[in-house]
Amino acid sequence: MKWIGRRQSDNVEDRRSISGGKVAVGGGIIGIIILLVNIFGGENAQLITPVLEQMQGGQQTQTEAAAPLSKEDEEMGQFVKVILADNEDIWGKIFAENGMTYKNPKLVLFRGSVNTACGGASSASGPFYCPGDQKVYMDLGFFEELKTKFGAKGGDFAIAYVIAHEIGHHIQTLLGTSAKMRQAQEGKSEAEANKLSVALELQADFYAGVWSHYNEKNLDVGDIDEALSAANAVGDDAIQSKMQGHIVPDSFTHGTSEQRMYWFKKGFKTGDIKQGDTFAEIR
C-alpha cells in the first residue's frame, strides 16, 4: 500500500513502550480460544473473554517488562497512523454527504495487556473496538499469529483491513446499529442471538470494503488479496475446522469465510453504505 509521506492521524495512543502487566507464559489452549473468540472485534466477545481469562489464570504468568520501540515498531506505528487518517478522511466525507457528522475514534497500540472502558484485555484478545470509550485496541503482534497460525498471507493491507473492520464497529456505534442489535438479541435463543452477531460482524467487513473502495488510488497490486486472505482465515468455519475438526453453524458469531469475503468485496465494489444491510438476510 502507498502510505509513506502521507497524513498521519493525531488520534493514535501508542502505549507499546509502557504496556505490560501479567501475561501467560505459553498461553495454552485457553489463550488460543480467547484470541479466536475476540478475533476482529465484536462487542459480544468482551462479555466472554473475562471468563476465559479466569480459566487461564491458573497458568504460570510473568510480568512483561516495558521495551523501547525498535525502528520497525516506529515504522509500524506511522503506518497505523496513516491508515487511521485515511479512515477519518473517508468516513468524514461519507457522513457529510449523508447529512451526518462523523466523530473520530481513538486507536490504542499496546503490548501485553491494556485497561479499557470494556474491562481489561490481553494480547490474546486480538484487535477489538470498545464502544464504552469509542477506541480501537490493537497489539500488532496479532498479525504474526494471523499469518503463522491461521494461514493468512500477511502484508500491510491485512493490517489496514483489520483496522477498517474495527472502525466499522465504530460506524455501527455512531449509527445506533450496535445498540439496536443488542436490543434485538434480548429474549432470543443463543442460536438466534448469534445470527445477529454474525450480521453485525459482516457489516463491519462491508464497511471495511467501502473504505477500501474510496482508498483505491493508494492500493498496490495484491492488497485486496491480502485483505481477502485475512477474512478467509478468520471465518468461523475455517477456525472451527482447524481447532476442532468439525463446524457448528449455530455457534457462529462472525460469519463463514465465504460470507466475510463476500461482504468485504461487495463494499469494495459498490462503495455504497446503503447496500450493507447484512441483517436483511436473517429477517
Side-chain angles (χ1 to χ4, degrees):
M1 183 178 178
K2 303 175 183 69
W3 67 273
I4 296 176
R6 296 174 50 217
R7 185 179 83 82
Q8 298 181 15
S9 174
D10 294 326
N11 291 309
V12 173
E13 299 177 17
D14 197 338
R15 304 181 191 173
R16 289 176 294 171
S17 61
I18 60 174
S19 294
K22 298 279 188 174
V23 293
V25 176
I29 188 64
I30 297 299
I32 295 174
I33 293 172
I34 292 173
L35 184 145
L36 298 182
V37 166
N38 287 281
I39 208 162
F40 278 29
E43 297 169 6
N44 292 335
Q46 295 302 307
L47 303 177
I48 302 171
T49 300
V51 177
L52 294 173
E53 288 180 334
Q54 284 181 4
M55 295 170 63
Q56 191 183 34
Q59 299 183 19
Q60 181 184 0
T61 62
Q62 65 182 16
T63 299
E64 183 183 273
L69 299 182
S70 67
K71 183 178 179 180
E72 182 180 1
D73 291 333
E74 294 281 6
E75 185 175 277
M76 284 302 301
Q78 292 170 11
F79 172 74
V80 168
K81 290 178 181 179
V82 170
I83 299 305
L84 187 60
D86 279 346
N87 275 273
E88 291 169 351
D89 294 342
I90 289 170
W91 285 111
K93 185 173 184 292
I94 292 173
F95 267 54
E97 289 173 348
N98 287 274
M100 300 179 292
T101 301
Y102 180 69
K103 179 183 177 183
N104 292 332
K106 300 279 188 179
L107 190 152
V108 178
L109 294 175
F110 72 96
R111 284 175 173 159
S113 61
V114 67
N115 292 319
T116 82
C118 297
S122 71
S123 297
S125 300
F128 64 94
Y129 171 77
C130 173
D133 54 22
Q134 296 190 5
K135 294 181 179 181
V136 173
Y137 292 87
M138 299 180 70
D139 184 329
L140 293 173
F142 161 80
F143 295 99
E144 189 61 27
E145 297 275 321
L146 190 64
K147 184 168 61 174
T148 58
K149 289 188 177 180
F150 304 109
K153 287 183 178 180
D156 59 5
F157 202 72
I159 299 174
Y161 158 56
V162 173
I163 294 173
H165 173 98
E166 299 307 335
I167 298 299
H169 287 305
H170 179 62
I171 302 297
Q172 292 167 328
T173 295
L174 296 180
L175 296 179
T177 309
S178 299
K180 290 178 182 177
M181 186 276 290
R182 289 193 296 271
Q183 186 177 24
Q185 285 180 317
E186 295 179 4
K188 294 284 196 304
S189 66
E190 182 179 355
E192 290 301 313
N194 284 344
K195 288 180 181 179
L196 290 166
S197 177
V198 166
L200 194 76
E201 294 297 331
L202 295 179
Q203 189 177 68
D205 280 329
F206 172 82
Y207 288 148
V210 170
W211 168 79
S212 302
H213 172 90
Y214 287 102
N215 204 32
E216 190 170 8
K217 65 181 183 297
N218 293 312
L219 303 188
D220 290 325
V221 175
D223 279 349
I224 295 301
D225 287 340
E226 291 175 3
L228 290 173
S229 177
N232 180 69
V234 294
D236 284 321
D237 53 342
I239 290 173
Q240 289 188 3
S241 180
K242 184 182 289 288
M243 297 302 299
Q244 61 192 33
H246 64 279
I247 62 174
V248 184
D250 282 348
S251 69
F252 290 174
T253 57
H254 286 65
T256 66
S257 296
E258 182 179 0
Q259 287 175 315
R260 301 198 71 163
M261 290 189 293
Y262 169 81
W263 282 103
F264 173 82
K265 287 190 290 186
K266 184 173 183 179
F268 178 65
K269 181 178 179 181
T270 67
D272 181 2
I273 61 171
K274 295 184 174 70
Q275 296 195 39
D277 186 3
T278 53
F279 293 88
E281 295 192 358
I282 60 174
R283 289 177 186 143

